[in-house]
Amino acid sequence: MSALLALDKVCSFYGPVQVHFDLSLHVNQGEIVCLLGGNASGKSTTMKTILGLMKPRTGSVTFDGKVISGLPTHRIIRAGIGSVPEARRLFGAMTVRENLLMGAFIRDDSAAVRSDLDRVLTLFPRLQERLAQRAGTLSGGEQQMVAMARAMMGRPRLICMDEPTMGLSPRFVDVVLELIATINREGTTIFMVEQNASLALQIAHRGYVLQTGRIALEGAARALAADPRIRDAYLGGEAA
Amino acid sequence: MGTFIDYTVNGLVVGNIYALLAVGLALIFGVANLINFAHGSLYTVGAYIGWVCITQLHTPFWVTVPAVLIGSGGLGVAIERLALRPLHGTSRIAPLLATIGLSLVLDQVVQLVFTPNPRALPSPLPDWRFQVGGGSIGTLDLLILGVGIGSAALLFVFLRFTKLGWAVRATAQDIDAAKQMGVDTDRVNSTVFAIASALGGLSGMMVGMYYNSIDPGMSFDATLKGVVAQIIGGMGNVPGAIAGSLLLGLIESYGIALFGTSYRNLFAFVLLIGILILRPNGLFSAAKETPPEPMTGSFVARGKPIRIPMPGMVGIVAVAALLPLVAGDYVLQTGTNALLYGLLALSLTLVAGTVGMVSLGHAGLLAIGAYASSLLAIELHIPVIAAIGLAGLVTAVLGTALVFPAFRMRGHYVSIATLAIGQIVALVILNWNSLTRGPIGISGIPPLTIAGVPLYDAPQTYWFVLAVVTGLALLQARILSSHLGRTWRALRDDDVAARSHGVDVDRYKALAFAFGGFGAGIGGAVTAHLYSYINHETFNAQISVLALTIAILGGLGNISGALLGSALLVGLPEVFRGLAEYRMLIYGVVLLLLIRVRPQGLLGTV
Ligand SMILES: Nc1ncnc2c1ncn2[C@@H]1O[C@H](COP(=O)(O)OP(=O)(O)OP(=O)(O)O)[C@@H](O)[C@H]1O
Ligand SMILES: [Mg+2]
């Protein structure tokens, strides 16, 4: 069976500085896969490479059997990938409602968009009463919810999330992770970057550990959570 | 009362014309993060398309307007596609310089095709006037007001209710996030350039009808007014740009009523500086901080400088010094001219390249030096050579004081502020009759004289200027390799970090401007004594742009580069005499090519 998303021997660079060294990983349909790793290990760069915000110098990214590396970002999004960017990146001067509708930018079926809006609002009831509020004035946790709901509005097959729990209070972290699990149960494949390994591995099926641009470990979430190397390095060991 | 109403109508009409310009600048700044210095050129192009349609083709008005919109809009799209899009991902200053280059090219092409002479652009409307409370309002006034309001309404509908309009708004807020929503941001850019340029062209046509006159030189002023209006309303803020334009139009109109026409632009630029200092985000935003501009270091392109070894330098200076033995007067005059521009470029390459404050008003320093030296020599009978030295000091002090308010600004804001300061200098000279003799200018400036002996012949003058330039260049090189030079470069690379390490940033910037002002002031002073006549237009904004082109051609911050650049740009067009007519075109093309092919300049940035 071929994977929904696959990176094959990707090498990416910022100018002369190499970030990824023959990075290969894959995400199967229906999975939650998390990419773990310390600061500056190249996690966000992986996301940018998948989304076409930067191009790998060698290697390729395939989505649903088609090569997407080299395509402009908007074509990749149209191919069925949604994004929850690092630090959320909401349109701060737009209302929550407008942000959610921007998430459906690639769609032309306005009736279905409206019913999807209702659907995500039942999933994120907190946003219901904030619809007319400017997104920039929301709390961090609420903004995270808007970012996730916005990504869902495009009906993607895969959502890439870069540190969805960053900067949230522990209670909100649980809420967000639970929501991710719910979105996944409803049929969307999730590829997420996390520093918070112990929590991420609770909801993920599989995981990869990135170390200075190379995969250091990979495996089922449960096995990784039990791995002493992970435990030392990421589960409360090295401070994030 | 009647005249008050007339001035109000005039202010609103002019405000609407500015609004059509400023709205486009705001849209472009929003999505492309760029001040489009070519915007005024599209306004000129629009005016000339209108002129061709009305006076040559005799088209009806309902054909003329779409022709102007399509012609200038299409040109805007082409500019974005061919000149600006390839610069994505390069240094931040590259697109800004490209638009300056484009404006030089477009303006000169218009001038070559239509001659520099003004043309009448008659309004096709019947000339009815309606009495309103003692004042009056004409059909053309109503048309312009109607077009302004109508365009604003259409723009509102577009941004609010169309998908592409949403994409424009989203891109303006966060281009990467917009891409991740599936927005084709290249298409957004094209759209915005099309709209902005079409409205700009329309504005040009209407202003031509309003004054019944157009000329190729109208573009620069238009860009400036649009930028001022946009800054009053807040950069990138579309409704703010409209409000700012109306305000600017009214202030100018009432100002002219109270003080006279020659003050018109002074209000605009003083207002601009005031807003930049007090409310950098515009009148309608409370935030004191300007939105983050990238570090100046990445604003300017970087590259390894090419070092010319010491014997090579000595050789070059020796060849330059021996030139009068073989060359005729014409070549030497050109050489002197190139050296004087070299002096200006040395000064600019220091503040723009080494310290990272890209000044667009550097000719203002020449003007100060020139007037100071002339007046000292004429009014106070100070010997010329002493007057030149004193003029250098006066320029150092005055120049630094004038630019001081811009020391905390960054990136684009510095360029705009310095541009305005340069204009203010020219306008003060124009209006301070008792000191500067206003528009008449100063004539009978005594020639260069050393120890009582006037330097009348070309070789002597050339040697004198060569000696001054060599001396100042060596001094500048000395300073750059000292602790002071290293501190300057540190400020350029990250002034926030420098500030937080306790460096007194303002003082170091002041030192740079003082040294740069001294050199430029000497340059202006020498020029004045060579020309024997100067006025407020002798040192105009084109010279500022030329100085910047020279500094960039040589490599920002690079001393030998500044001199090489000036030899090439000032010297060569004179040597090939036929080229002199196409001078601005050449500068524009050089600038555009450099940005594409060798953004770090010929000898590299230092
Ligand atoms: N725009 C950029 N230009 C140059 N270098 C960059 C850029 N973005 C990231 N880098 C460098 O690439 C490396 C990987 O960065 P990346 O953002 O992918 O790390 P990360 O794993 O997401 O880190 P974090 O946990 O801090 O978010 C880092 O060394 C970083 O400094
Ligand atoms: Mg990251």
Side-chain angles (χ1 to χ4, degrees), chain A residues 51 53 73-74 77 83 85 89 91-94 98 101-103 105-108 150, chain B residues 160 163-164 166-167 169-171 173-185:
Chain A
L51 293 167
L53 292 166
T73 301
H74 65 98
I77 301 296
S83 166
R89 308 289 285 266
F91 302 108
M94 288 180 162
E98 288 176 318
L101 292 176
M102 268 315 293
F105 184 80
I106 54 171
R107 297 172 52 184
D108 289 318
R150 185 178 67 172
Chain B
R160 271 287 142 186
K163 220 158 174 166
L164 198 51
W166 279 54
R169 284 196 293 148
T171 306
Q173 287 178 54
D174 188 333
I175 185 164
D176 276 347
K179 283 182 182 164
Q180 291 173 56
M181 299 301 115
V183 173
D184 180 352
T185 49

Side-chain angles (χ1 to χ4, degrees), chain B residues 188-328:
Chain B
V188 165
N189 253 313
S190 281
T191 308
V192 158
F193 269 88
I195 296 175
S197 308
L199 292 180
L202 188 61
S203 174
M205 182 189 73
M206 289 196 311
V207 89
M209 290 178 180
Y210 191 64
Y211 296 115
N212 194 16
S213 165
I214 59 175
D215 68 273
M218 65 200 262
S219 89
F220 183 67
D221 224 33
T223 304
L224 285 184
K225 291 304 172 56
V227 169
V228 175
Q230 205 211 151
I231 284 181
I232 297 175
M235 299 271 270
N237 179 342
V238 174
I242 296 176
S245 301
L246 295 177
L247 199 64
L248 180 63
L250 286 172
I251 290 177
E252 281 188 9
S253 185
Y254 296 143
I256 290 171
L258 294 174
F259 301 99
T261 337
S262 62
Y263 281 86
R264 165 179 233 145
N265 291 347
L266 200 52
F267 294 114
F269 297 125
V270 171
L271 190 65
L272 173 72
I273 299 290
I275 299 256
L276 280 178
I277 296 169
L278 299 174
R279 300 189 74 97
N281 287 304
L283 283 185
F284 311 109
S285 163
K288 278 283 285 183
E289 287 291 307
T290 49
E293 286 252 1
M295 295 303 151
T296 346
S298 63
F299 193 71
V300 171
R302 307 306 299 277
K304 269 208 169 62
I306 296 168
R307 292 214 161 277
I308 300 171
M310 202 54 200
M313 289 287 205
V314 174
I316 291 169
V317 174
V319 168
L322 294 177
L323 190 64
L325 303 184
V326 291

Side-chain angles (χ1 to χ4, degrees), chain B residues 118-132:
Chain B
R119 305 271 184 185
L121 180 53
S123 156
L125 300 180
D127 189 19
W128 296 325
R129 295 200 76 81
F130 309 96
Q131 298 303 313
V132 188

Side-chain angles (χ1 to χ4, degrees), chain B residues 529-551:
Chain B
H529 293 286
L530 289 180
Y531 287 6
S532 84
Y533 171 75
I534 54 173
N535 67 19
H536 67 284
E537 283 175 337
T538 310
F539 308 99
N540 57 22
Q542 282 191 345
I543 293 186
S544 300
V545 171
L546 173 56
L548 188 60
T549 312
I550 291 173

